[in-house]
RNA sequence: CGGGGAGUGGCUCAGCCUGGUAGAGCACCUGGUUCGGGACCAGGGGGUCGGAGGUUCAAAUCCUCUCUCCCCGACCA
């Protein structure tokens, strides 16, 4: 174990992840409630930053927020055959309330297609009511067998969009709009995590969907993490809940619905995409705190001088930088340096007596940990310098993650190469196999087809498993 | 749910095998000296050993049950 009790990534990646969660004070285990966590203030602030970036995009694409009940009549869940099958094993049920057994049990929502479907059936009558574009920010509960902080918890927070459209084409356009303009755009631009946009195979798609799409990101251990999904539900739920409208020709038509979601799992993605053995690394654009200032002084008169300079410098930052002055005097500067590195604040500014004499400050960038990332910068023009530095850190983190993914992506022409590749990262391979073939591969290698990328090579190839001619290239990986 | 590991001051862990009534380091509190990469000295407070039951004169220690966490696997945002 290194200092701070952070296990190096190279030694034990899973333990490293847990050490970061604990060290950066993101979450606590809710040990009295199985599989749940407490989002501590630092962790919750990350979620709020994620929420804000997504919410903006969700609204910019024409959606409105609403909120539906946490409890869903159990019978609702049963109405869509594949949906029940997919979710039944993991729902929690409320059987008693008010001291009595309920006539019909409720389930705690694992996702809200059914309850929202019920209301949409009441709200949609005419083609003029469409599209209906609603999003909800909510908590959901899934009784998973194995949980890990953020990546998979029994209760988690997410947003789920639920829309209704007049035609398959409209629903498909919506599904892809969300994938590109909301999810991929947010995760790449704000979280600095490159993603592969693609379609899910039948094996991996949402229970009850016609087609599922996802963005997949690579973590630093080469495994894939699904960072967001968008589903074209076809008419499955519209038929199950009788969501229908009268079209321009006065014909009654079943509508087409979509649903799409991202969850607090994104916090796990953030950790595993950028952090290092020193602690958490947060991209500046979503960092709740972008700059921390550590004043340095020995005597009272030095303290006053430092405080004065600090005040002059930071007054300009209001509204331009999210910053904090760490003026706790019970900790030494060295301690603070390490603590803020552990917590992932992108930039640290140190101001001490020597700086005041020279008219400089020390600036340390988190993406280059320790002394190598530290330099002395003139006080004049500091705000602009910091803004530029934050942008450059954002760029650098994205670039680094993209380079990592490229270096850990392999082309496989044979099953042997596929097996080897998924040990180390993503494998791109031609595919013409069946669902059964995919099951078999998962059994043998632990890997699944993460996505069928939307961007396909122009030429056809030979299926990595069956040897048949294949028209599509897929990405295999072991997944979280 | 199957296999493995672990629950002892806030944290990391020793003690358990060979029962005798709990210990270290860090953290915390007080005072002083420190402060540009995790400061030091002195003094001090804090745990009934995950929970329940059992064996025993006596249980952190032995037995049974149970809960929780971690790792691997199957399932999944």
């Amino acid at each position: 174990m290194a200092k701070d009790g952070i296990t190096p990534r190279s030694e034990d990646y899973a333990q490293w992840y847990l050490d970061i969660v604990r060290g950066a004070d993101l979450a606590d285990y809710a040990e009295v409630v199985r599989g749940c966590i407490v989002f501590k203030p630092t962790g919750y602030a990350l979620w709020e930053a994620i929420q804000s970036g997504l919410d903006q995009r969700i609204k910019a694409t024409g959606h409105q927020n609403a909120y539906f009940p946490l409890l869903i009549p159990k019978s609702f869940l049963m109405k869509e055959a594949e949906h029940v099958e997919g979710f039944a094993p993991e729902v929690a049920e409320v059987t008693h309330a008010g001291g009595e057994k309920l006539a019909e049990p409720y389930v705690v929502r694992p996702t809200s297609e059914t309850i929202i479907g019920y209301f949409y059936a009441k709200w949609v009558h005419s083609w003029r009511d469409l599209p209906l574009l609603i999003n909800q920010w909510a908590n959901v509960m899934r009784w998973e067998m194995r949980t890990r902080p953020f990546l998979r918890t029994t209760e988690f927070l997410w947003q789920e969009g639920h829309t209704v459209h007049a035609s398959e084409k409209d629903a498909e356009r919506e599904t892809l709009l969300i994938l590109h303009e909301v999810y991929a755009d947010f995760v790449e631009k704000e979280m600095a995590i490159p993603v592969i946009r693609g379609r899910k195979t039948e094996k991996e798609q949402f229970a009850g969907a016609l087609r599922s799409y996802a963005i997949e990101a690579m973590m630093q251990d080469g495994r894939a993490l699904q960072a967001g999904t968008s589903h074209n539900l076809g008419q499955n739920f519209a038929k199950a809940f009788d969501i229908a409208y009268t079209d321009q020709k006065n014909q009654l038509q079943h509508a087409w619905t979509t649903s799409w979601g991202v969850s607090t799992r994104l916090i796990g993605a953030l950790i595993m995409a950028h952090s290092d053995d020193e602690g958490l690394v947060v991209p500046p654009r979503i960092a709740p705190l972008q700059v921390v200032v550590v004043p340095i002084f020995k005597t009272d008169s030095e303290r006053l001088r430092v405080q004065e300079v600090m005040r002059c410098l930071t007054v300009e930052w209001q509204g331009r930088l999210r910053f904090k002055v760490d003026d706790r005097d019970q900790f030494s500067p060295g301690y603070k340096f390490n603590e803020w590195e552990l917590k992932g604040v992108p930039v640290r500014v140190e101001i001490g007596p020597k700086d005041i004499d020279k008219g400089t400050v020390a600036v340390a960038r988190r993406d280059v940990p320790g002394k190598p990332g530290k330099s002395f910068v003139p006080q004049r023009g500091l705000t602009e310098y910091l803004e530029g530095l934050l942008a450059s850190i954002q760029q650098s983190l994205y670039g680094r993650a993209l380079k990592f993914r490229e270096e850990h992506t392999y082309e496989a022409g044979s099953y042997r190469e596929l097996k080897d590749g998924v040990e180390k990262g993503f494998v791109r391979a031609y595919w013409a196999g069946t669902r059964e073939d995919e099951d078999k591969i998962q059994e043998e290698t632990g890997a699944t087809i993460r996505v069928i990328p939307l961007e396909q090579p122009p030429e056809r190839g030979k299926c990595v498993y069956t040897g048949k001619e294949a028209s599509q290239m897929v990405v295999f990986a072991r997944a979280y």
Side-chain angles (χ1 to χ4, degrees), chain A residues 122-142:
Chain A
K122 295 197 342 186
W123 300 348
V124 171
H125 304 286
S126 151
W127 65 274
R128 294 178 206 274
D129 296 327
L130 302 178
L132 180 56
L133 306 173
I134 289 179
N135 175 65
Q136 109 165 328
W137 289 95
N139 56 341
V140 288
M141 180 163 274
R142 296 181 188 175

Side-chain angles (χ1 to χ4, degrees), chain A residues 17-19 27 36 38 55 62 117 119 132 196 199 207 274 281 287 305 316 324 340 358 364 370 392 442 447 456:
Chain A
Y17 175 81
L18 295 166
D19 290 344
C36 290
V38 176
D55 200 59
F119 288 101
L132 180 56
I196 298 178
R199 187 176 155 190
H274 299 306
V281 175
R305 289 174 67 208
E316 230 183 272
K324 176 192 177 77
W340 291 114
K358 293 186 294 182
S392 132
Q442 179 174 18
Q456 287 284 329

Side-chain angles (χ1 to χ4, degrees), chain A residues 75-360:
Chain A
S75 59
F76 281 22
L77 206 65
M78 319 292 274
K79 288 194 180 183
E80 210 290 327
E82 280 183 34
H83 194 64
V84 204
E85 206 184 312
F87 284 100
E90 52 190 58
V91 297
E93 215 172 299
V94 178
T95 56
H96 290 74
E100 289 185 21
K101 187 159 193 255
L102 296 170
E104 184 190 344
Y106 294 115
V107 299
V108 179
R109 65 177 162 226
T111 178
S112 303
E113 276 75 8
T114 59
I115 183 109
I116 292 180
Y118 171 83
F119 288 101
Y120 281 4
K122 295 197 342 186
W123 300 348
V124 171
H125 304 286
S126 151
W127 65 274
R128 294 178 206 274
D129 296 327
L130 302 178
L132 180 56
L133 306 173
I134 289 179
N135 175 65
Q136 109 165 328
W137 289 95
N139 56 341
V140 288
M141 180 163 274
R142 296 181 188 175
W143 216 258
E144 300 290 353
M145 289 176 182
R146 183 173 160 202
T147 58
R148 307 182 69 187
F150 299 119
L151 295 173
R152 179 163 304 104
T153 47
T154 300
E155 180 187 6
F156 57 95
L157 308 180
W158 77 346
Q159 61 65 218
E160 47 178 326
H162 295 272
T163 67
V164 188
H165 305 266
S167 68
E168 175 172 14
K169 201 174 122 226
D170 288 354
E172 186 73 4
R173 187 187 302 124
E174 164 78 8
T175 310
L176 289 168
L177 174 79
I178 296 295
L179 191 78
H180 293 297
E181 302 300 317
V182 178
Y183 293 162
D185 189 72
F186 172 77
V187 173
E188 293 192 328
K189 288 206 181 115
E190 310 290 325
M191 300 186 72
I193 302 173
V195 295
I196 298 178
R197 310 159 192 213
R199 187 176 155 190
K200 286 286 179 184
T201 60
E202 183 202 331
K203 171 178 165 63
E204 296 286 320
Q205 81 182 14
F206 179 75
L210 178 65
R211 274 189 290 279
S212 286
Y213 296 89
I215 52 172
E216 292 279 332
M218 182 186 282
M219 302 295 102
Q220 293 177 43
D221 60 351
R223 290 173 72 176
L225 187 137
Q226 178 174 300
T229 46
S230 185
H231 316 287
N232 183 337
L233 301 174
Q235 294 182 305
N236 294 342
F237 287 87
K239 284 179 178 162
F241 288 89
D242 203 21
I243 306 170
Y245 69 97
T246 309
D247 69 14
Q248 287 97 320
K249 294 174 190 146
N250 201 28
Q251 297 288 309
L252 193 61
Q253 304 276 3
H254 274 120
W256 298 75
T257 64
T258 80
S259 70
W260 27 276
V262 306
S263 71
T264 36
R265 164 179 256 203
L266 276 183
I267 297 171
L270 180 79
I271 296 168
M272 291 201 291
H274 299 306
S275 300
D276 58 25
D277 291 349
E278 311 303 315
L280 185 67
V281 175
V282 185
R285 289 182 63 92
I286 60 151
L289 195 57
Q290 295 171 310
V291 178
V292 65
V293 184
V294 178
I296 293 154
F297 50 80
K298 293 189 178 77
T299 62
D300 276 348
S301 70
E302 279 176 355
R303 175 204 289 255
L304 289 173
R305 289 174 67 208
V306 167
Q307 278 174 341
E308 176 56 21
V309 174
M310 220 162 52
R311 203 186 52 76
C312 291
L313 288 173
T314 55
V315 71
E316 230 183 272
W317 296 358
Q318 297 293 342
R320 292 173 74 175
L321 301 169
R322 295 188 289 274
F323 70 99
K324 176 192 177 77
V325 174
D326 184 359
D327 54 7
R328 298 173 297 175
D329 20 77
Q330 66 267 40
F331 297 110
S332 69
Y335 180 91
K336 293 175 183 175
F337 298 168
N338 285 285
E339 176 173 302
W340 291 114
E341 245 163 48
L342 182 57
K343 291 195 168 176
V345 178
V347 170
R348 182 182 69 246
V349 171
E350 305 164 19
I351 306 177
K354 291 181 212 164
D355 292 304
I356 293 176
D357 296 340
K358 293 186 294 182
T360 60

